[in-house]
Amino acid sequence: QVQFVESGGGLVQPGGSLRLSCVISGYISSPYNMAWYRQAPGKQREWVATLRAAGDTYYADSVKGRFTIARDNAWKSSLQMSSLEPEDTAAYYCNTDPTYSTWGQGTQVTITS
């Protein structure tokens, strides 16, 4: 069974930075695209960024230029977040794109002064 484990969240001030990490375990048919998603309180989960197996990246307009998705190895990805805004407050999840049915616990990111 595929499992996603996210880490690296925290409480930061506006303008700050965080680096989220994701470890994937279990079997995933290769090649696959890595991706990050987030869910703010009271809102639906939304897509944030995708790193395709071919190496090209895609970002939601709301994070473009501030977030960077990377693949550390075949089973680890990261999301470097800079110039964080209160609107970035959410639980962040990694998955594939398109997504697997299973989701991890997520890691909470809170931006507040």
Side-chain angles (χ1 to χ4, degrees):
Q1 182 177 357
V2 176
Q3 291 185 323
F4 302 92
V5 179
E6 304 90 351
S7 63
L11 179 69
V12 299
Q13 294 184 337
S17 300
L18 278 176
R19 183 177 184 272
L20 307 183
S21 296
C22 170
V23 176
I24 304 172
S25 62
Y27 176 75
I28 297 181
S29 177
S30 297
Y32 63 92
N33 307 322
M34 291 180 167
W36 285 87
Y37 304 81
R38 69 184 181 185
Q39 186 168 18
K43 296 187 177 181
Q44 290 190 333
R45 187 175 292 156
E46 65 175 1
W47 168 76
V48 174
T50 292
L51 170 57
R52 294 185 66 235
D56 45 329
T57 56
Y58 301 87
Y59 298 93
D61 288 343
S62 59
V63 307
K64 198 173 297 182
R66 301 187 298 119
F67 289 12
T68 302
I69 186 173
R71 182 191 301 263
D72 300 331
N73 59 40
W75 307 109
K76 292 183 179 180
S77 72
S78 62
L79 185 69
Q80 178 66 47
M81 307 186 297
S82 303
S83 301
L84 286 163
E85 304 168 351
E87 293 73 22
D88 296 317
T89 295
Y92 284 73
Y93 302 85
C94 64
N95 207 303
T96 54
D97 182 3
T99 63
Y100 266 77
S101 59
T102 57
W103 291 84
Q105 293 296 313
T107 186
Q108 180 65 38
V109 172
T110 303
I111 313 303
T112 180
S113 54

